[in-house]
């Protein structure tokens, strides 16, 4: 049988011996080859002929380069908090520090054979093809102090450098390093960084082709080869990833202090606080990571990076700006690839962005090793900005799909849907969904004089929304079920249920979730401005804290609105921050959820002020998690 594959092809072309003058089939007396980490084991390969293609999957080949978006040389104070100006490492022409070298991928050149003499006046030219020099950089060494040989301009009056020459070919090896300055997606405009993209809206798939040419003294190309390199994508964390940090906004007036206290108790770790009057921590950023092959599997293989939302939110406060000034530091990246806009657009917020945990689709058999991204659209159209959805799809690893959230006032996925990792499920997790139908069933089973809301007399009534209007605080179950009332909660809840049923159908098709793996939580809805909004506390809008350095097991931070208890009930309210096991057992007895919630530490969080502003726990929090080290993005098939 004739051998096939890159290795055998190299032997057929260059002979079985090392390439050089002694090999009679070689057209030149010496060669200079590109050596990369094509097999992704964290070290440079000897087999240079593996560089010409890039494929994904276990055991496949192709070198990886990192978007070097952290700030290794940023100073920190005695408490470890970053100080001074924050600037991503990829914005300068040097390898800043010894730590920065861990983010630099190897790009080596080697002479073959080592002892061969190079004829006089021969030279090597290395060039990047396709105009990608604005995205890709090669340093003269892969360690601290390495300076740019090829790459983008960094100052006014400079031009991009697309190639460089080697005229001294006496060394046996040149240890260069490489990085890129953006993730796949719309190409950034280097002359107008604030705008974010080039006017023509060019898109980049993450691949870079580099060519090496060996040229003799007469200017004739005696040999050449190409290497294909791919940028590590930005991958969103999911609820199955262990939680390392929780984030929240501390409102200067202190009205959400109780929320923060409950959050700290629920998560088992003190939340990192941002100062702002805009409390929607989830909406200003999404935290993900990128991965460069290392010598040994460890958490250090991953570079976490916060992706800023497209919305400026300047008119609402400054927490969005603090994402960069607070988080960008050594081993924590920041990325703003999306055109900022002054106009606030709700669907561009990242409460409208979730990730299904890893699973194998029972119908297709396809493995989604990093889960799937899901985001909301209105009327079947991508109402997130085009460059946002293009960015998400360009990463390829998490295969985005959409659900219709245009029927909601805020329009976010997290208003009605969350994912709870649990072993007693078909796919390893269950979908937690708002269930107005269940809430109405509970209401209809209670005495008519049962108060819908309790304990609200001391709360502010100046929000201007019917949701917190004093008139509705005094509702009884009879009032609630009276279809002549305004707002008509029954009709609004039935409308919301019909839309949620459609979302469940999408999840059954796109994810393969069986009916038994949906957890229904009773939540009533009302209509406002022609769209639906949670009338009682939206407990599906929850924070899921998974095992981490300071937590044990899994904890759920679900809404506790002292006015509603997530629906009509006559229970006494538990003490602040206490595990609400009564809630779990009650829901189970009503058929609203099963063991996953009860087996979790289910904590409730006071969210009256957040609910009054049309949000809940997930909306007001964010988290950084730890990426998996038992699988890597380049092993995902189909990318």
């Amino acid at each position: 049988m004739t051998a096939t594959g890159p290795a055998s092809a190299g032997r057929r072309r260059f002979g079985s011996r090392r390439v050089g003058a002694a090999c009679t089939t070689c057209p030149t007396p010496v060669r200079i080859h590109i050596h990369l980490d094509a097999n992704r084991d964290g070290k440079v390969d000897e087999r240079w002929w593996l560089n010409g293609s890039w494929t994904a999957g276990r055991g496949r080949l192709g070198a990886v380069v990192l978007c070097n978006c952290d700030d290794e040389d940023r100073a920190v104070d005695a408490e470890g908090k970053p100080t001074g100006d924050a600037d991503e490492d990829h914005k300068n022409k040097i390898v800043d520090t010894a730590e920065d070298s861990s983010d630099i991928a190897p790009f080596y050149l080697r002479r073959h054979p080592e002892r061969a003499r190079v004829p006089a006046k021969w030279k090597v030219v290395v060039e990047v093809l396709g105009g990608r020099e604005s995205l890709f950089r090669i340093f003269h060494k892969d360690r601290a102090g390495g300076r740019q040989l090829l790459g983008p301009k960094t100052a006014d009056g400079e031009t991009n450098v697309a190639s460089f020459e080697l005229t001294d070919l006496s060394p046996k090896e040149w240890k260069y390093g490489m990085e890129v300055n953006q993730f796949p997606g719309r190409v950034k405009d280097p002359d107008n960084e604030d705008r974010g993209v080039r006017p023509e809206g060019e898109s980049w798939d993450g691949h870079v082709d580099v060519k090496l040419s060996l040229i003799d003294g007469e200017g004739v190309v005696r040999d050449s080869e190409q290497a294909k390199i791919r940028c590590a994508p930005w991958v969103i964390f999911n609820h199955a990833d262990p939680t390392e940090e929780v984030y929240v906004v501390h409102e200067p007036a202190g009205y959400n202090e109780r929320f923060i206290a409950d959050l700290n108790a629920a998560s088992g770790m003190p939340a990192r606080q941002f100062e702002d009057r805009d409390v929607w921590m989830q909406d200003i950023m999404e935290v993900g990571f990128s991965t460069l092959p290392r010598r040994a599997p460890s958490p250090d293989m991953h570079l976490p990076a916060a992706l800023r939302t497209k919305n400026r939110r300047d008119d609402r406060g400054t927490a969005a700006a603090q994402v960069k000034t607070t988080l960008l530091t050594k081993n924590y990246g920041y990325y703003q690839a999306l055109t900022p806009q002054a106009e606030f657009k709700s669907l561009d917020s990242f409460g409208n962005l979730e990730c299904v945990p890893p699973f194998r689709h029972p119908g297709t058999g396809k493995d989604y090793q990093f889960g799937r991204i899901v985001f909301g659209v209105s009327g079947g159209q991508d109402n997130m900005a085009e460059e946002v959805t293009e960015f998400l799809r360009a990463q390829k690893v998490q295969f985005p799909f959409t659900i219709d959230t245009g029927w909601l006032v805020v329009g976010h996925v997290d208003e009605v849907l969350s994912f709870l990792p649990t072993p007693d499920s078909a796919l390893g997790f269950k979908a937690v969904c708002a269930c107005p139908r269940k809430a109405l069933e509970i209401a209809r089973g209670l005495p008519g004089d049962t108060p819908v809301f309790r304990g609200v007399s001391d709360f502010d009534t100046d929000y201007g929304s019917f949701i917190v209007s004093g008139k509705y605080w005094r509702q009884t179950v009879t009032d609630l079920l009276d279809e002549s009332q305004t707002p008509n909660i029954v009709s609004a809840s039935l409308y919301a249920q019909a839309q949620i049923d459609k979302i469940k159908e999408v999840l059954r098709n796109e994810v393969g979730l069986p009916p038994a793996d949906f957890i229904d939580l009773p939540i009533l809805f009302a209509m406002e401005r022609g769209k639906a909004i949670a009338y009682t506390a939206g407990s599906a809008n929850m924070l899921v804290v998974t095992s981490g350095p300071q937590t044990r097991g899994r904890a759920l931070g679900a809404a506790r609105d002292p006015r509603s208890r997530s629906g009509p009930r006559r229970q006494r309210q538990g003490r602040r921050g206490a595990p609400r096991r009564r809630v779990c057992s009650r829901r189970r007895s009503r058929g609203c959820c099963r063991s996953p919630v009860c087996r979790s530490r289910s904590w409730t969080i006071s969210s009256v002020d957040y609910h009054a502003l049309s949000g809940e726990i997930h909306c007001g929090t964010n988290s950084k998690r730890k990426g998996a080290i038992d699988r890597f993005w380049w092993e995902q098939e189909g990318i």
Side-chain angles (χ1 to χ4, degrees):
M1 178 180 292
T2 303
T4 59
S8 59
R11 287 193 296 270
R12 287 197 302 273
R13 181 181 174 191
F14 301 107
S16 59
R17 298 178 61 186
R18 298 194 72 171
V19 176
C23 181
T24 57
T25 61
C26 296
T28 65
V30 67
R31 273 191 161 81
I32 309 294
H33 293 302
I34 300 172
H35 289 262
L36 307 173
D37 179 14
N39 65 358
R40 306 158 191 163
D41 65 351
K43 60 181 180 180
V44 173
D45 301 329
E46 283 292 331
R47 297 171 294 174
W48 53 266
W49 55 84
L50 304 180
N51 297 328
S53 62
W54 207 104
T55 54
R58 291 185 181 273
R60 304 294 177 84
L61 302 171
V64 176
V65 64
L66 197 69
C67 177
N68 191 8
C69 62
D70 64 344
D71 191 357
E72 299 286 359
D73 60 350
R74 190 178 182 193
V76 296
D77 60 20
E79 298 179 354
K81 296 180 180 179
T83 61
D85 294 334
D87 208 11
E88 300 93 314
D89 286 339
H90 65 67
K91 290 185 177 180
N92 57 47
K93 291 184 174 183
I94 62 171
V95 180
D96 293 314
T97 65
E99 289 85 358
D100 194 20
S101 63
S102 65
D103 298 332
I104 305 300
F107 184 93
Y108 289 8
L109 304 182
R110 289 174 179 167
R111 191 175 70 209
H112 291 266
E114 292 181 356
R115 297 181 180 179
R117 295 182 59 186
V118 181
K121 298 184 179 180
W122 281 36
K123 65 181 179 180
V124 165
V125 175
V126 177
E127 58 185 320
V128 62
L129 305 178
R132 296 309 183 200
E133 65 273 11
S134 66
L135 310 175
F136 177 73
R137 180 179 279 116
I138 293 180
F139 299 100
H140 92 288
K141 61 180 180 179
D142 60 347
R143 303 181 303 281
R147 64 181 184 276
Q148 177 178 308
L149 294 175
L150 178 156
K153 59 184 179 181
T154 58
D156 292 340
E158 292 185 355
T159 58
N160 297 331
V161 178
S163 65
F164 66 91
E165 292 184 359
L166 290 174
T167 54
D168 178 8
L169 302 184
S170 59
K172 300 175 182 178
E173 182 179 60
W174 296 260
K175 293 184 176 181
Y176 299 146
M178 58 181 176
E179 69 177 17
V180 293
N181 61 13
Q182 76 160 76
F183 290 106
R186 293 279 182 98
V187 176
K188 294 189 294 184
D189 182 357
D191 296 321
N192 191 355
E193 184 176 333
D194 187 54
R195 188 179 184 280
V197 297
R198 289 181 176 174
E200 65 268 24
E202 178 188 356
S203 185
W204 178 48
D205 65 1
H207 288 279
V208 174
D209 292 303
V210 180
K211 182 178 180 180
L212 180 148
S213 299
L214 180 62
I215 302 173
D216 67 18
E218 302 297 323
V220 177
V221 176
R222 301 294 298 268
D223 188 41
S224 67
E225 65 187 52
Q226 289 185 208
K228 185 174 288 292
I229 305 159
R230 179 168 173 174
C231 172
W234 179 78
V235 181
I236 298 178
F237 290 117
N238 64 81
H239 289 170
D241 294 324
T243 311
E244 292 188 318
E245 285 188 311
V246 174
Y247 306 119
V248 68
V249 170
H250 179 262
E251 204 277 334
Y255 82 80
N256 65 343
E257 287 181 353
R258 184 175 181 179
F259 178 93
I260 295 173
D262 283 358
L263 174 65
N264 291 341
S267 65
M269 61 182 74
R272 191 167 180 176
Q273 298 181 23
F274 291 60
E275 289 289 332
D276 202 347
R277 58 190 176 90
D278 179 3
V279 297
W280 306 125
M281 192 72 219
Q282 185 66 219
D283 290 342
I284 64 176
M285 70 174 182
E286 187 74 36
V287 184
F289 66 96
S290 57
T291 308
L292 190 67
R294 306 280 195 243
R295 288 300 302 271
S298 74
D300 294 336
M301 297 185 74
H302 304 302
L303 175 63
L307 177 70
R308 260 289 311 276
T309 180
K310 178 183 172 65
N311 288 319
R312 286 185 183 273
R313 305 183 77 99
D314 289 346
D315 58 330
R316 294 171 173 250
T318 60
Q322 292 174 41
V323 173
K324 181 172 182 176
T325 59
T326 302
L327 298 181
L328 177 58
T329 185
K330 174 183 174 180
N331 297 328
Y332 203 143
Y334 168 86
Y335 197 68
Q336 171 75 75
L338 318 173
T339 309
Q341 61 181 20
E343 179 186 358
F344 178 77
K345 186 178 178 183
S346 183
L347 267 69
D348 275 329
S349 302
F350 288 155
N352 193 30
L353 186 62
E354 270 300 314
C355 185
V356 183
F359 68 98
R360 177 191 288 251
H361 196 292
T364 65
K366 182 176 177 62
D367 271 320
Y368 296 94
Q369 298 188 52
F370 295 89
R372 295 191 67 183
I373 291 173
V374 53
F375 59 90
V377 298
S378 178
Q381 302 298 316
D382 285 359
N383 293 110
M384 274 190 176
E386 184 180 346
E387 61 261 42
V388 180
T389 58
E390 185 177 327
F391 174 86
L392 296 174
R393 292 190 173 102
Q395 310 313 308
K396 295 185 178 180
V397 174
Q398 293 177 298
F399 305 93
F401 68 98
T402 64
I403 59 175
D404 185 3
T405 58
W407 54 277
L408 290 160
V409 171
V410 179
H412 291 181
V413 169
D414 65 2
E415 294 181 75
V416 294
L417 176 64
S418 186
F419 297 101
L420 179 61
T422 178
D424 59 344
S425 59
L427 304 182
F429 62 90
K430 296 194 177 187
V432 179
C433 298
C435 187
R437 182 187 300 114
K438 188 66 65 175
L440 289 174
E441 289 176 4
I442 293 172
R444 288 168 178 147
L446 293 172
D449 61 350
T450 303
V452 175
F453 303 119
R454 297 179 60 195
V456 297
S457 59
D458 57 340
F459 284 93
D460 188 1
T461 61
D462 294 332
Y463 290 107
S465 168
F466 69 76
I467 295 176
V468 291
S469 169
K471 172 184 175 182
Y472 301 107
W473 286 356
R474 295 186 293 273
Q475 274 187 332
T476 64
V477 167
T478 297
D479 297 329
L480 180 75
L481 298 178
D482 184 352
E483 298 192 32
S484 66
Q485 293 282 330
T486 302
N488 189 326
I489 303 303
V490 174
S491 63
S493 295
L494 292 176
Y495 167 73
Q497 186 64 64
Q499 305 306 314
I500 293 169
D501 288 343
K502 294 177 183 177
I503 291 174
K504 288 184 174 182
E505 184 62 27
V506 173
L507 291 173
R508 281 191 285 267
N509 293 332
E510 296 287 350
V511 180
L513 271 173
D517 284 350
F518 287 94
I519 299 174
D520 293 329
L521 299 187
I523 302 168
L524 294 171
F525 281 76
M527 298 299 288
E528 188 176 86
R529 303 188 301 275
K531 294 189 176 184
I533 191 167
Y535 186 62
T536 54
S539 51
N541 191 325
M542 63 174 63
L543 170 69
V544 178
V545 177
T546 313
S547 300
Q550 302 178 52
T551 62
R552 294 181 180 179
R554 182 179 57 244
L556 310 179
R560 179 179 81 245
D561 186 337
R563 296 175 291 111
S564 69
R565 320 285 200 281
S566 296
R569 68 182 66 188
R570 290 184 289 182
Q571 283 184 319
R572 292 185 61 190
Q573 181 157 314
R575 63 183 175 87
R576 183 183 63 165
R580 294 293 298 277
R581 291 187 175 87
R582 293 194 305 272
V583 175
C584 290
S585 61
R586 175 185 172 281
R587 287 176 181 160
R588 181 165 53 179
S589 67
R590 296 280 185 179
C592 300
C593 72
R594 298 177 67 91
S595 57
V597 171
C598 299
R599 290 180 181 177
S600 302
R601 293 187 300 120
S602 181
W603 297 71
T604 56
I605 297 174
S606 176
S607 63
V608 59
D609 296 298
Y610 285 61
H611 180 72
L613 295 171
S614 306
E616 299 292 355
I617 310 305
H618 189 263
C619 301
T621 59
N622 215 311
S623 61
K624 170 179 172 285
R625 298 173 185 262
K626 182 184 297 184
I629 58 173
D630 60 343
R631 59 193 179 278
F632 302 103
W633 65 266
W634 52 80
E635 297 172 344
Q636 173 66 59
E637 298 284 350
I639 64 170

